[in-house]
C-alpha cells in the first residue's frame, strides 16, 4: 500500500483539491492522509475532489474552524479493508487488512498540538494505542517536533520535548523512513524559519 501524508493548510483554497488529487494520482497513492483540513464542512464534493474519480472510503476529524486543525484519511477499498477507526482531536487511526497480502495494518494520521506540554501527552496517547492494537503500524503526519537541534532554524526548540519525543520513538520501536529532497519540510512565509516536522515511521508488532 502506497501512502501519502500532506499538511494541506486548508483544502478549500483555489486549486488546492485538484493539486492534491493530481499528486495522489501521479504517485499511485492508495492511502492519503491530510493534516490541517481547516474545515468542519466536509461535504462529499471537497472530499471526492481531493481524491479523484476512483472509488474511495474516508474518515475525518473535524477542525476547530478555519484557523487550523482537522484530519482526513482516504483509502482505496480494493486495497485496504477497514475493521476499526479510532479518533481523538489530534490522531486518526484506521485499522484494517491489506487485501492482497492479508496483513493487518494500523495507519495513524497525526497532527500534534502546538503546545509543547500537549505534544508530550500526545506521545503517551499514541503509545497506548500502539500497545493495544496488534499488527503492522504506519505513523505519518505533522508531528510538530524535531529529534535534534539541527531540525529547527530560528524557531522554538525545547530540549525536554526532544527527549520525550525520542523516548516515544524508542518505546514504540519505530523505524523512520529514509528521506530525499529538501532537508526541511516547513518554511515560514519570509523564509527565515525552517523545521523538519513532517515525518513517517513504521513498526511491526511481532
Amino acid at each position: 500500500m502506497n501512502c501519502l501524508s500532506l499538511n494541506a493548510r486548508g483544502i478549500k483554497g483555489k486549486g488546492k483539491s485538484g493539486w492534491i488529487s493530481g499528486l495522489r494520482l501521479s504517485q499511485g497513492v492508495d492511502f492519503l492522509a491530510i493534516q490541517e483540513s481547516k474545515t468542519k464542512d466536509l461535504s462529499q464534493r471537497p472530499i471526492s475532489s481531493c481524491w479523484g474519480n476512483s472509488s474511495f472510503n474516508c474518515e475525518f476529524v473535524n477542525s476547530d474552524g478555519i484557523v487550523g486543525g482537522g484530519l482526513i484519511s482516504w483509502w482505496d477499498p480494493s486495497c485496504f479493508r477497514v475493521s476499526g477507526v479510532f479518533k481523538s482531536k489530534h490522531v486518526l487511526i484506521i485499522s484494517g487488512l491489506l487485501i492482497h497480502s492479508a496483513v493487518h495494518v494500523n495507519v495513524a494520521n497525526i497532527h500534534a498540538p502546538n503546545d509543547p506540554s500537549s505534544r508530550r501527552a500526545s506521545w503517551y496517547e499514541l503509545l497506548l494505542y500502539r500497545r493495544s492494537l496488534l499488527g503492522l503500524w504506519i505513523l505519518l503526519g505533522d508531528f510538530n517536533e524535531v529529534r535534534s537541534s539541527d531540525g529547527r532554524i530560528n524557531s522554538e526548540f525545547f530540549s525536554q520535548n526532544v527527549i520525550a519525543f525520542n523516548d516515544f520513538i524508542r518505546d514504540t520501536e519505530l523505524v523512520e523512513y529514509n528521506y530525499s529532497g529538501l532537508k526541511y519540510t516547513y518554511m515560514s512565509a519570509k523564509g527565515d524559519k525552517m523545521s523538519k516536522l513532517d515525518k513517517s515511521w513504521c513498526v511491526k508488532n511481532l
Side-chain angles (χ1 to χ4, degrees):
M1 183 169 66
N2 192 14
C3 301
L4 172 65
S5 172
L6 181 67
N7 186 322
R9 295 179 175 86
I11 63 171
K12 289 188 174 181
K14 184 178 181 181
K16 183 67 72 71
S17 60
W19 173 72
I20 294 172
S21 66
L23 185 61
R24 186 195 74 80
L25 289 169
S26 68
Q27 300 301 314
V29 170
D30 306 301
F31 192 104
L32 172 62
I34 294 291
Q35 303 88 46
E36 284 200 87
S37 65
K38 293 188 178 182
T39 180
K40 292 182 178 180
D41 178 24
L42 292 175
S43 63
Q44 191 68 15
R45 182 171 181 180
I47 287 180
S48 61
S49 296
C50 287
W51 178 264
N53 293 326
S54 60
S55 62
F56 68 90
N57 289 329
C58 75
E59 287 284 347
F60 59 87
V61 174
N62 277 325
S63 74
D64 292 329
I66 299 301
V67 174
L71 298 165
I72 314 175
S73 293
W74 293 259
W75 61 90
D76 180 348
S78 69
C79 174
F80 190 43
R81 183 183 300 125
V82 171
S83 58
V85 177
F86 308 89
K87 301 181 182 183
S88 67
K89 184 175 181 180
H90 301 287
V91 178
L92 172 58
I93 299 173
I94 310 298
S95 182
L97 194 72
L98 293 177
I99 293 173
H100 299 297
S101 62
V103 172
H104 193 86
V105 179
N106 306 285
V107 186
N109 182 0
I110 299 158
H111 184 214
N114 289 322
D115 176 68
S117 61
S118 296
R119 283 203 297 277
R120 294 195 296 273
S122 292
W123 311 147
Y124 180 70
E125 176 190 7
L126 282 165
L127 182 59
L128 292 179
Y129 277 123
R130 163 72 177 94
R131 289 172 174 171
S132 63
L133 298 173
L134 299 179
L136 177 71
W137 274 85
I138 301 172
L139 281 74
L140 38 77
D142 185 343
F143 290 78
N144 239 325
E145 194 58 86
V146 296
R147 301 192 65 185
S148 60
S149 58
D150 62 358
R152 291 184 184 271
I153 295 178
N154 296 327
S155 62
E156 290 182 324
F157 177 78
F158 299 96
S159 58
Q160 184 179 3
N161 271 44
V162 170
I163 293 170
F165 191 41
N166 283 317
D167 286 346
F168 160 72
I169 292 167
R170 182 200 64 222
D171 292 343
T172 48
E173 304 174 280
L174 295 174
V175 177
E176 189 169 1
Y177 281 96
N178 292 326
Y179 289 87
S180 60
L182 300 176
K183 180 177 180 180
Y184 299 99
T185 59
Y186 168 79
M187 182 173 67
S188 65
K190 294 181 179 179
D192 58 338
K193 298 180 180 180
M194 291 180 284
S195 304
K196 183 181 179 181
L197 304 175
D198 304 274
K199 308 171 189 294
S200 58
W201 284 277
C202 71
V203 61
K204 187 172 184 180
N205 190 0
L206 300 174

